[in-house]
Amino acid sequence: MARSAIRLGELAAEFGCELVGDPQVTVSRVATLSDANGGGLSFFVNKAYRDQLRSTSAAAVLLRPADAGDCPVNALLAEDPYLAFAKIAGLLHPQPDLVAGTHASAVISPSATIAANVQLSAHSTIGDDVTIEADVFVGPGVVIGPRCRIGKASRLLANVTIVQDAEIGERCIIHPGAVIGSDGFGNAQSDKGWVKVPQVGRVLIGNDVEIGANAAIDRGALDDTVIEDGVRLDNLVHLAHNVRIGQHTALAAQNGVAGSTTIGKRCMFGGQVGIDGHLKICDDVIVGGKSVLTKDIMEPGYYVGTFSAEKDKEWKRKVARFRRLEGLVSRVRILEKKADDE
Amino acid sequence: MARSAIRLGELAAEFGCELVGDPQVTVSRVATLSDANGGGLSFFVNKAYRDQLRSTSAAAVLLRPADAGDCPVNALLAEDPYLAFAKIAGLLHPQPDLVAGTHASAVISPSATIAANVQLSAHSTIGDDVTIEADVFVGPGVVIGPRCRIGKASRLLANVTIVQDAEIGERCIIHPGAVIGSDGFGNAQSDKGWVKVPQVGRVLIGNDVEIGANAAIDRGALDDTVIEDGVRLDNLVHLAHNVRIGQHTALAAQNGVAGSTTIGKRCMFGGQVGIDGHLKICDDVIVGGKSVLTKDIMEPGYYVGTFSAEKDKEWKRKVARFRRLEGLVSRVRILEKKADDE
Amino acid sequence: MARSAIRLGELAAEFGCELVGDPQVTVSRVATLSDANGGGLSFFVNKAYRDQLRSTSAAAVLLRPADAGDCPVNALLAEDPYLAFAKIAGLLHPQPDLVAGTHASAVISPSATIAANVQLSAHSTIGDDVTIEADVFVGPGVVIGPRCRIGKASRLLANVTIVQDAEIGERCIIHPGAVIGSDGFGNAQSDKGWVKVPQVGRVLIGNDVEIGANAAIDRGALDDTVIEDGVRLDNLVHLAHNVRIGQHTALAAQNGVAGSTTIGKRCMFGGQVGIDGHLKICDDVIVGGKSVLTKDIMEPGYYVGTFSAEKDKEWKRKVARFRRLEGLVSRVRILEKKADDE
C-alpha cells in the first residue's frame, strides 16, 4: 500500500530530523524493527525493544539522539520519534485514493447536494437535503439520513449510519458500523410506563475527528451533542444526548458518557470508563481504564478507581474483610476507649 | 420538523394543564429555556436552570404550580411537567411520516407477506416467510431474516439486522445497527476445543419497545429470549440467550446481561451494569451505573457496588491499605486479646 | 428447522452413548425438558431441573449414568451429556444450506476470486483482490474490502464488514454487524493535537472461530492482530491492534482488550472484562466478569477483582470506611504502641 519510495535526505529535511547515514537510501513502508527488511522505516522508543534495535535490518530507524549508538543502520534522530514516525507513515501510507463517482447501485435523494470529486460507493443511500462536500468518501452500505452535512475530505467507511441532522467537519474518519445521530435515551415515567421524549437536537462534529467502529453517538434532546476538533473516539464508544467533548480529547474503546456531560480539552480516558450524566470534567484530565466518574472534576490530573484482578482466593478474603469493615472500626473504637480509661 | 403550531388553550385542555396566559398563543416546537424564541415550548423542572426560566423568551413553559411565579411568559402548570412535555413534544415532533412503498432496490422474498402502508427503503432485504404488518418502516440497509414478524407501526432504522425467528411487537423502534436474533454464546468443551451448541430459540419482543443503536440481542438457545412491553434498552446493550426483561424496565447504555437471567418489571439500571447469568432480579430494582450483579435480588430498592474514581495518589494509598486489610484485622485481634488480659 | 429424524440406536452408536430404551424411536429436534414433546431430544445436567426431568415427555434425554433412575423416557447415557447434546444438536440443526450463486444486487470487483458453491447475498459488496473459497456464505449487506481472504465454508452473516487486509480461516462464523480490520487507535501527540498513526497490519483469523454480533476487531498497527483456531468472541467484544488470542480461548460479551496484549490458550473470560495493553496472559486463565487486568498473569487459575452490588445504604457505609481506611490504620498503630508501652 506504500505510495512510493522517499529518500532519507528528503525526510530529514522535511521533518526536521538529523540524519546519521546515507541520504540517498529510500524507504517505502513502515514496519517493526524485526520486520523492516527491504526499504522499511521503523522507530525505537520503548527500551524493551533495544535488542531488536541492535539487530534490525531496517532501511532506517527513527529514534532519540541518545539511542543512536545502538542503531546499526541509518538513523533519523528526533526528539519525539513516535510523532515523527506518525507523520512520515502518513506520507508513506496515505488514505486510499478516492475513485470519484457514484456507483450505479447508490441511491441518492434528488434534494441532496453532492460536490465534485466525491465517491459514493455501492449500496450507499443519501437522504433528503444532505450536503456532501468535495473529496468525501462514502463507503459501501453507508446510510446518510436527511439534513446531514459531510465536510470536505471526510471518510465514512462501510456500513456507517449518519441518522439525521448531523454535521460532520472536514477530514473526519468514521469507522465501519458507527452510528451518529441516533435518538437519545429520553423517557418520561408515567403510570402506564415510559413515554418517549422526542429527540430533536443535532450532532455537531468538528474537523479532524476520528470515530471508531460500531460507536454510537446520540443526537441532542433539545440542544446538540458536540464533538470538537481533533477528538478521537475508539471502537464501541457511547455518547449520550447533549454530551460535549472538547478539542483533542481521546476516549479509548467502550467508554460510555451519560447525558449532558461536558468533557474538556486534551483529556485521555482509558478503555471502558463510565461517566455519569450532567458532569463537568475540566481540561487535561487523564482517567484510568474502567474507572467510574460520578462527580465533577475541576483539577487536571490522573484519576482512577478500580481494583486489579487477583487470585480468586486472595481477593475473596479481602472482600470478606471489606464487607466486615464496619465491625473492625467498632472494635478499634472499643480498644481506644479502653486504652483511654487506663 | 415540527408538524404544525398548536394553541396553548388546546394543549391545556388536552393534557390537563392549567394555563396561566394567553390561550390563543401557539407553539410549534420544543426547545430549551434559553433557545425557545419564536414559538418554542420549554419546560422547567431542575432548579439549576431557574435563572434561565426567569429570562426565557419561550412562547410557553411547562412547570409545577409552585414555580409559576418565576415564569415571565405563558405558563402551563402540571404536577409532572416533564411527562407533560414528553407528550406534547410527541405531538409537535412526531415520528417522520412513512412514504409507503417498496424502493426499487429492496430485495423481498416471494414468500414474505407485506401489509399495506409499509415502507421498504433502499437496499433493504426481506427474507423467506417474513410477515410485516401495516404502517411499518424498514430503513435503508435493513436485513430481516427468515421467519420474522414485525408488528404494526414498528420502525426498524437504518442498517438494523433482524437475524431470524424474531417477533417484534407493535410501535417498537429499533435504532440503527442493532442486531436482534444473533446466536447465543453456546459452547460445549471438548478435548479438541469448543463445540458449538446450535441456538434454536427465538427472540420475542412486546409492544412499544425501544432498542438502542448497535445493541445486540441474542436468540434463545432452546427457549426464547423475551423482552416485554414498554422496555427501553439503550445503545450497545447486550442481552444473551434466554434473558427475560420485564415490562417497562429500562437498561442504560452498554449493559450486559448474561444468559438465562430474568429481570423484573419497572427496573432501572444505570449504564455499563454487568449482570451474571441465571439470576432473578425482582421488580422495581434500581442499579447504579457500572455495578456488577452476581446474586438474585429479591427485594426492590437501590443497589450499587462501585468506587468513584479519585486522584491517583489517594486511590493508590487506599488500595494498598485494602490489600493489607488482612494484616490489620490480625493486629486488632492481638490488641483485643491484650486488653482482655489486663 | 430440523433436518430430519434420527433413530436413537444410530445416535447411541455414533456418539458413544449407552441407550436405555427403544433404539427405533426417532428424535427430530432439540428442546428443553419441559418442551420436548413430539420427537424432542433434551439433556439433563443441572440438578435444579430434576423435577422437570422426572415429568418430561421428551422422546429421549441425554444424561449421566447416575441420573438415569430419574428419567421416565428413553435415556442416552453419557459422561458429558452437554457435549454429546452439542454434537447431536449440530446434526439435527445444521447451519442453513447455502443457495450457491450471486444475487443480482451483489457488487463484485472484477479482481475478486470467487470459488464454486459460494453464496453472495443481496446488497453484498466484494472489493478488489478478495479471495473467497468454496462453500462460503456472504450475507445480505456484507462488505468485504480489498485484499481479504475468506476460508472454506465460513459464514459472514448480515451487515458484517471485513474492512481490508484480513484473512479468515475455514468454518468461521462472523455474526451480524461485526467489524473486522478497522484501524487501531494509533495517535501520536503533537502540540497541535493528535496525529493519526497509519495502521498497516492485518487481521489473521484461524479456523473454526466464532465472532459475535457488533464486535470490533482492529487490524494491527505494523504487525498483525491474530486470533487463533477455535477462539470464541461474544457480542460487542473489542480487540485493539496487535492483540493475539490463543487457541480455544473464549471471551464473553463486551470484553475489551487493549493494544498488543497476548492472551493464551483455553482461557475463559466472563463478560465486560477490561484488559490493559502490552500484557501477557498465560494459558488456562479464567477471569471473573467485569474484572480489570493490569498486570501479566503467569500462572493458570481463577482471577477476579470486583465487588458485587449491594443495598445502597450498606455499600455507602462500607465505602465511607474504605475512604477512611488510612485513619483506621493510624489508630491501630497508636493502640499497638500504647499496649507495648504498658
Side-chain angles (χ1 to χ4, degrees), chain A residues 91-156:
Chain A
L91 207 68
L92 290 170
H93 302 269
Q95 294 290 318
D97 284 333
L98 285 188
V99 182
T102 297
H103 192 276
S105 63
V107 172
I108 299 155
S109 162
S111 64
T113 306
I114 315 288
N117 200 41
V118 163
Q119 179 174 356
L120 302 180
S121 304
H123 310 307
S124 58
T125 307
I126 313 296
D128 296 342
D129 303 310
V130 165
T131 299
I132 299 185
E133 299 183 356
D135 307 323
V136 164
F137 172 76
V138 175
V142 167
V143 176
I144 305 179
R147 298 173 301 281
C148 293
R149 169 181 289 269
I150 313 296
K152 202 167 175 314
S154 282
R155 305 179 68 85
L156 312 185

Side-chain angles (χ1 to χ4, degrees), chain C residues 157-175:
Chain C
L157 303 188
N159 284 327
V160 157
T161 303
I162 314 291
V163 190
Q164 82 280 285
D165 301 290
E167 305 213 348
I168 294 179
E170 305 186 353
R171 296 172 306 278
C172 293
I173 304 176
I174 315 294
H175 289 285

